[in-house]
Amino acid sequence: MTQKFYITTPIYYVNARPHIGHSYTTIVCDAIARRQRMAGADTYFLTGTDEHGQKIERAAQASDKSPQQLTDEVSTQFRALWDRMGITYDDFIRTTSDRHKRGVQALWRKISDNGYIYKGHYTGQYCVFDELYVDAAEPGAPCPECGRPTETVQEENYFFKLSAFQDKLLQLYTGQLDFIRPETRRNEVISFVRSGLRDLSISRSTFSWGIPVPHDPKHVIYVWLDALSNYITALGYGSDDTKLYEKFWPADVHMIGKEIVRFHCVYWPAFLMAAGLPLPKGIIAHGWLLFEESKMSKSRGNIVRAETILDVLGADALRYFLLREVVFGQDGSFSFDALVQRYNADLANGLGNLASRTLAMITRYFHGEVPYPSPSAARRANDDTIAETANRTIAEFGALFDQYQFSRALEAAWALAAAVDKYIVENEPWALGEKQDEESRARLATVLYTSVEALRIVTALVHPVIPDATAKIWAQLGLGDIQKFQLSTLQWGQLHLGTKLGSVQAVFPRADKSAIERMQKMEEQGRAPAGAAPAATQAPSQTKAGSEPATQAAASKAVIAVPDGKISIDDFAKVEMRVGQVKAAERVKGADKLLRLEVDIGTEVRQVVAGIAEAYAPEPLVGRKVVLVTNLAPRKLRGLESNGMIVAASAEGGKPVLAGFLEDVPVGTRLK
């Protein structure tokens, strides 16, 4: 029987546009759902938007729109962003949809019929921002969640007998230790419930933007009872078609942010208990993304839009950074500098470089076909070490990922990639490829098969995290559609000999400093008030007497001009030069002036095409240290991609003279 798996994001409140805090939760769920599908589970992945409540009604009034207009606009932004990011959700629920309204009212009736709802009056404090009742608080007291002043509410309400479930909830938490994860959140919830539960107001009668209470339309259902119900209404609860509900409920994972733990871990299971419905199997609360040391929020003005990162680096960069850099369950810091550094180190110089160099050498030396690993005569101990490491990584990655330790799982996969990089450097396939004897040829085949098989395994493991790039690498491996691969079957030695590679292309072009600058500028422009010009282009404004004129202030911050023909230190700093060591060199066929070099710059081996063949023979260059400009955009010469430029002086007659060093300088050292 096929295993089922049901995972949900929280539904996102539509009072503001999406940012990467929302993206974080959704990306985590998408990665889990993708891995479950690759493992053969019948997977259902739900996301959506929360669109009712007093906060929405007020936000709509402030923007001179109807609540429905506002919710339509913002919900569309969320869905469009998930689609652009390739999020593989199976359903997108909106709480303003008719199917949801029917399901919420059906749940209300079930709870009421079971005797857990009564009518009364509420007088107390209410936080409109969090839609949270704050019991036993003084008028104007701050909300315990967000710190904003609460409002005094006096109205007739329906109440839910939450107090009746205190003991049952504590039994749930202590009897099912993995119901709430991580343990810190579980302990918080236990402490809250042990302090005593009071009955909960579950209707409002002072505004109308919500789902009417059955048989009493003067009241609308409390937004959290409304919102939490989405997890079952999306499956058809309360409708004539309950096939999905019967198949997938209870949920395997509710993924939430830590700020909504109380609603999900106290109110939601109590509602379900009152209705006599099964409880979800687990609720997992992750930490916050911090930017400028604060949680991202619209009110602080420190949100970062996912679109900015997608435009500059792509979705895989964001996905990898969030799952690799942030220890899941804890708060994590975000910065553009850290994002680009991780992108270059792990994606461009790591997996991307491993794929490019390995597949390029198979294309060059074996006409683009996976070579036959030779028998024992051509094998070495380190060949078997790579195979053993790969099989161990498969098991380790799976165990860590399934425990939601994404950072450690990715660390294990990249450790395998680093081991293969080291293996390639030690075995020097480029040198073996220059030899024509049978033994060298056999050894070359073994080295490249070992490398490409390890690449295949890393690619399969990390596909749920970086789906776009891994799909491209998989196709370059000649293996077709990676989504059809059954992850449960993954093991060493499955790459068929003679497999014809696809077209080999780089999947992660290296990002330079301008990437950070572009993203920062895009965010600054995105935070500007509607209709305002970006700060850098606004016209000077008149100032009050005694204040610094706008033009003078701008001039004081301007970059000092430099004379004609000179460059500033900032311009020079844009050129990245590193010490490299030539690992292989050969003439380019049909080009008298060109040599093809493979240059080790410490973190990777670059292919460079240099116009120095008339001055230097290829053989003596091997082992020589050179200066390489490493942040030039790649270009093709005679069909070969050149990733960098060798620095040389131009002597009399235009003869190139390579720059070098009198002292011994480590490979990879940056020139300043």
Side-chain angles (χ1 to χ4, degrees):
M1 181 177 178
T2 303
Q3 181 183 356
K4 73 89 181 173
F5 186 83
Y6 179 32
I7 187 169
T8 68
T9 72
I11 51 175
Y12 301 110
Y13 214 41
V14 294
N15 66 318
R17 69 188 183 188
H19 56 70
I20 67 166
H22 305 114
S23 300
Y24 179 44
T25 316
T26 310
I27 287 169
V28 167
C29 288
D30 184 65
I32 295 170
R34 286 175 180 270
R35 180 171 171 84
Q36 287 290 331
R37 293 190 193 102
M38 290 183 74
D42 190 354
T43 301
Y44 203 81
F45 171 20
L46 175 69
T47 189
T49 44
D50 179 7
E51 304 177 19
H52 287 136
Q54 190 172 12
K55 183 163 58 172
I56 297 298
E57 189 173 74
R58 290 185 179 180
Q61 291 171 352
S63 59
D64 198 25
K65 297 175 182 176
S66 71
Q68 191 64 60
Q69 283 178 307
L70 176 65
T71 57
D72 286 347
E73 289 175 8
V74 183
S75 180
T76 298
Q77 290 178 15
F78 274 94
R79 187 161 191 164
L81 178 57
W82 301 159
D83 289 344
R84 182 181 175 191
M85 291 174 63
I87 302 298
T88 58
Y89 59 86
D90 294 283
D91 194 3
F92 188 100
I93 184 74
R94 296 184 60 186
T95 59
T96 53
S97 65
D98 289 338
R99 60 170 175 153
H100 177 72
K101 293 176 183 177
R102 286 193 299 268
V104 172
Q105 290 177 328
L107 181 63
W108 177 286
R109 284 191 290 266
K110 189 71 172 176
I111 296 173
S112 180
D113 291 346
N114 289 345
Y116 291 105
I117 294 177
Y118 63 92
K119 202 170 191 179
H121 286 81
Y122 178 81
T123 300
Q125 298 308 114
Y126 187 77
C127 174
V128 175
F129 183 84
D130 287 310
E131 304 285 5
L132 175 68
Y133 292 96
V134 184
D135 294 326
E138 298 294 325
C143 170
E145 296 293 331
C146 69
R148 292 173 174 80
T150 55
E151 298 180 11
T152 301
V153 174
Q154 293 179 321
E155 59 184 333
E156 179 186 68
N157 290 157
Y158 284 93
F159 284 79
F160 171 68
K161 295 181 180 179
L162 182 63
S163 58
F165 295 92
Q166 180 168 330
D167 291 341
K168 292 180 180 178
L169 288 169
L170 289 173
Q171 290 171 10
L172 169 65
Y173 308 146
T174 56
Q176 187 179 333
L177 298 181
D178 61 351
F179 181 74
I180 305 171
R181 284 178 282 179
E183 187 178 1
T184 51
R185 305 280 90 84
R186 175 175 163 270
N187 292 338
E188 289 173 7
V189 171
I190 290 174
S191 177
F192 173 78
V193 174
R194 280 180 176 162
S195 69
L197 295 179
R198 299 174 62 180
D199 290 350
L200 178 68
S201 174
I202 56 168
S203 76
R204 300 294 307 275
S205 58
T206 55
F207 66 93
S208 60
W209 184 242
I211 298 174
V213 169
H215 311 303
D216 195 350
K218 291 186 300 182
H219 291 255
V220 295
I221 296 172
Y222 175 45
V223 68
W224 274 106
L225 174 55
D226 168 357
L228 291 164
S229 304
N230 89 90
Y231 302 129
I232 57 176
T233 65
L235 298 177
Y237 178 84
S239 72
D240 296 331
D241 185 0
T242 59
K243 291 193 295 293
L244 286 175
Y245 175 80
E246 292 164 4
K247 179 178 181 179
F248 287 105
W249 189 257
D252 294 87
V253 174
H254 286 326
M255 187 69 64
I256 62 171
K258 66 180 183 179
E259 71 275 11
I260 52 177
V261 164
R262 183 191 308 180
F263 304 103
H264 282 79
C265 300
V266 181
Y267 299 169
W268 180 227
F271 293 151
L272 293 169
M273 289 176 180
L277 300 178
L279 305 184
K281 295 180 181 179
I283 299 168
I284 301 175
H286 62 73
W288 290 335
L289 279 183
L290 305 180
F291 186 72
E292 298 171 348
E293 301 307 314
S294 299
K295 179 178 181 287
M296 292 187 194
S297 72
K298 180 184 177 184
S299 60
R300 290 189 178 97
N302 67 344
I303 63 172
V304 175
R305 299 170 300 161
E307 293 92 333
T308 295
I309 300 162
L310 302 184
D311 287 345
V312 177
L313 295 177
D316 279 356
L318 177 60
R319 293 172 69 101
Y320 180 78
F321 177 84
L322 293 178
L323 270 71
R324 177 65 179 86
E325 191 82 7
V326 179
V327 176
F328 188 73
Q330 301 179 18
D331 292 346
S333 296
F334 175 86
S335 72
F336 292 122
D337 294 69
L339 171 67
V340 171
Q341 183 177 351
R342 179 66 73 177
Y343 171 89
N344 280 334
D346 291 10
L347 298 180
N349 296 343
L351 180 62
N353 182 59
L354 175 62
S356 295
R357 70 195 303 200
T358 303
L359 299 180
M361 285 190 285
I362 292 176
T363 299
R364 180 180 172 209
Y365 297 124
F366 293 97
H367 309 291
E369 293 184 358
V370 174
Y372 178 76
S374 294
S376 56
R379 295 190 64 78
R380 304 286 188 275
N382 57 8
D383 304 333
D384 295 330
T385 299
I386 293 295
E388 291 164 4
T389 302
N391 278 327
R392 187 170 60 250
T393 302
I394 293 169
E396 184 180 359
F397 184 96
L400 291 169
F401 198 99
D402 293 343
Q403 295 165 10
Y404 308 106
Q405 297 186 50
F406 309 115
S407 183
R408 288 184 60 197
L410 291 169
E411 187 178 348
W414 257 257
L416 173 58
V420 179
D421 265 329
K422 182 181 178 183
Y423 169 82
I424 291 173
V425 171
E426 289 174 345
N427 286 276
E428 298 185 322
W430 46 84
L432 293 169
E434 298 306 308
K435 302 174 182 178
Q436 300 301 318
D437 61 283
E438 186 175 336
E439 182 180 349
S440 296
R441 189 75 177 165
R443 182 66 194 145
L444 176 62
T446 301
V447 171
L448 291 182
Y449 180 86
T450 302
S451 302
V452 76
E453 174 63 347
L455 171 65
R456 181 188 70 90
I457 286 174
V458 173
T459 302
L461 288 175
V462 303
H463 174 66
V465 177
I466 48 173
D468 292 345
T470 49
K472 292 174 183 175
I473 295 172
W474 201 257
Q476 291 178 33
L477 287 167
L479 299 177
D481 184 358
I482 193 171
Q483 296 184 74
K484 296 179 180 178
F485 180 73
Q486 286 294 311
L487 201 55
S488 58
T489 67
L490 183 64
Q491 61 182 4
W492 182 267
Q494 293 173 320
L495 186 57
H496 296 304
L497 311 178
T499 299
K500 185 69 176 175
L501 301 185
S503 175
V504 178
Q505 295 178 334
V507 291
F508 288 116
R510 185 175 173 82
D512 57 24
K513 285 185 178 179
S514 69
I516 298 172
E517 296 165 358
R518 296 204 315 273
M519 288 188 288
Q520 289 173 335
K521 185 175 182 180
M522 290 167 70
E523 281 305 305
E524 289 168 2
Q525 293 174 342
R527 291 173 194 158
T537 59
Q538 284 181 342
S541 58
Q542 293 183 348
T543 59
K544 295 180 181 179
S547 66
E548 183 182 24
T551 51
Q552 182 179 335
S556 67
K557 298 176 182 177
V559 177
I560 299 174
V562 293
D564 290 344
K566 302 291 181 70
I567 64 171
S568 70
I569 188 66
D570 292 333
D571 290 328
F572 176 76
K574 293 178 182 177
V575 181
E576 182 177 294
M577 293 183 287
R578 293 192 180 274
V579 177
Q581 186 171 39
V582 179
K583 308 298 291 186
E586 65 177 3
R587 296 187 182 277
V588 175
K589 293 180 181 178
D592 295 337
K593 295 182 179 180
L594 299 181
L595 292 182
R596 189 194 72 85
L597 308 176
E598 292 183 12
V599 183
D600 183 1
I601 58 170
T603 56
E604 61 179 305
V605 176
R606 296 275 190 96
Q607 175 174 278
V608 179
V609 180
I612 58 175
E614 292 181 330
Y616 294 93
E619 293 80 9
L621 288 175
V622 176
R624 178 166 177 166
K625 289 183 177 178
V626 295
V627 176
L628 186 70
V629 178
T630 57
N631 62 341
L632 284 177
R635 63 171 182 158
K636 282 196 172 182
L637 297 169
R638 293 296 179 112
L640 297 172
E641 185 174 80
S642 181
N643 281 289
M645 183 178 74
I646 301 289
V647 176
S650 181
E652 285 187 31
K655 178 184 177 181
V657 178
L658 294 177
F661 307 93
L662 295 175
E663 294 84 2
D664 186 27
V665 185
V667 171
T669 300
R670 178 153 185 194
L671 278 67
K672 298 180 180 180

